[in-house]
Amino acid sequence: MKTARHTTRRIRYHADPMAALKVISRIEPFTPAELIELELPIRLAFDSIKNGRGTLQDISDIGAAINTTMVRAESISPTCVQAAITARDALLRTLTRYHSTGRVGFDGPAIADVAVGIDLHEQMLRLSTPVQMADALREVMRRVAEQQTIQ
């Protein structure tokens, strides 16, 4: 008579061969191609508004970039936060101007203020990891849901 043989099943751990790359990808900066992909639409939106061809989507795109930069800057420098707030306020004036005139356009100071905000955003992209910027964007979305920032 055969006896039942009790076997203990071993679960073997298999190391993820891509684990090191996953960790590195969290700390690596954006590639030059990624920077272009992220920066170009914001620059085009800014130029469209500046040249009288702006849309509400252009304001929204720039606002998302400025707000993300503002949140990221909160852990870096009060001076950077203030520059982002100034740019955000200039975008709010642009939106108010649209509601009163029906056209999207910057006032004089807004051109300079938003340009500084965009420059700051581009610098923040260069000095931050994709994970840091994604975390900042998630925080922006949370604040927008609570109506703490422009949409």
Side-chain angles (χ1 to χ4, degrees):
M1 172 186 226
K2 292 187 177 182
T3 59
R5 192 170 150 189
H6 180 65
T7 60
T8 305
R9 187 171 177 196
R10 288 186 178 178
I11 298 175
R12 300 189 86 187
Y13 173 75
H14 294 284
D16 181 0
M18 302 301 285
L21 292 177
K22 289 177 184 175
V23 170
I24 290 170
S25 70
R26 286 187 249 148
I27 59 172
E28 285 293 312
F30 288 103
T31 65
E34 290 170 329
L35 288 172
I36 290 170
E37 188 178 323
L38 293 167
E39 294 170 355
L40 188 59
I42 305 306
R43 284 288 173 187
L44 292 174
F46 178 72
D47 286 340
S48 290
I49 295 171
K50 193 168 68 168
N51 294 318
R53 298 183 313 271
T55 65
L56 290 177
Q57 185 62 50
D58 293 329
I59 294 173
S60 179
D61 292 346
I62 296 169
I66 298 294
N67 283 328
T68 302
T69 295
M70 180 177 55
V71 169
R72 178 75 185 102
E74 288 172 353
S75 63
I76 297 171
S77 165
T79 305
C80 291
V81 172
Q82 188 54 54
I85 289 171
T86 301
R88 182 202 59 199
D89 291 347
L91 283 175
L92 287 172
R93 288 195 314 272
T94 303
L95 189 59
T96 300
R97 185 176 187 179
Y98 166 77
H99 290 304
S100 64
T101 66
R103 295 192 62 191
V104 175
F106 294 127
D107 58 29
I111 293 172
D113 294 342
V114 173
V116 169
I118 291 171
D119 289 343
L120 178 61
H121 175 68
E122 290 174 350
Q123 191 66 21
M124 202 64 69
L125 287 171
R126 285 179 173 78
L127 297 174
S128 300
T129 66
V131 170
Q132 290 170 321
M133 293 305 288
D135 289 345
L137 180 58
R138 276 191 287 281
E139 177 61 16
V140 167
M141 292 188 305
R142 186 192 67 75
R143 291 180 188 185
V144 166
E146 294 177 5
Q147 299 179 345
Q148 294 179 2
T149 59
I150 65 170
Q151 298 180 20

